[in-house]
Amino acid sequence: MSDLISLSNSSNKTLSAIGKTAAVANATIDTYKATNAAYSAMAGIPVVDPALGAAVAAAAIAAGLQNVSQIASVQLADGGLVKAVTGGVPALIGEGGSDEAVLPLDNNRAMRGIGGLLLRKAKVAL
């Protein structure tokens, strides 16, 4: 399963989607393993009773499903463009094995400076 999950770091959208699906499945399985363990740990205590076991199990489910939701909400940028949204966008940079740049598209001075730097680097590489 870990090999499939590692595909979520791929720069290939199809492979990344497969990895993301595997990560969601694995997180779901882990959620219910934790739920069973939590219930079992509490339910065997004589005074505590299965009621506390059920409460702890419910908390484990809530935490696990929140983790699943976070994994499922991760999206790849389309063509390298990260669209602005309120609160920002969590991003994984450099995962494709190549250098990457994040540029403020509405800042002309910064874009000219960065563009010139990239052009000079490209000429040196040629």
Side-chain angles (χ1 to χ4, degrees):
M1 183 71 97
S2 65
D3 288 340
L4 284 175
I5 293 170
S6 70
L7 293 175
S8 65
N9 294 324
S10 173
S11 58
N12 178 294
K13 285 191 177 191
T14 301
L15 292 178
S16 183
I18 291 169
K20 182 176 169 181
T21 300
V24 166
N26 191 60
T28 302
I29 291 167
D30 286 349
T31 295
Y32 289 99
K33 282 182 181 178
T35 301
N36 287 331
Y39 180 80
S40 296
M42 293 294 152
I45 301 172
V47 177
V48 173
D49 196 69
L52 184 56
V56 172
I61 289 174
L65 293 181
Q66 181 178 8
N67 186 35
V68 169
S69 176
Q70 287 175 339
I71 294 168
S73 69
V74 172
Q75 295 183 0
L76 291 176
D78 187 22
L81 178 64
V82 179
K83 304 235 182 218
V85 296
T86 302
V89 177
L92 184 61
I93 305 296
E95 79 287 357
S98 299
D99 294 340
E100 296 180 4
V102 177
L103 308 172
L105 296 179
D106 61 350
N107 185 326
N108 290 332
R109 193 174 95 216
M111 290 297 290
R112 280 192 305 275
I114 292 168
L117 177 64
L118 293 174
L119 183 60
R120 285 191 299 279
K121 273 197 158 270
K123 286 181 180 178
V124 169
L126 296 175

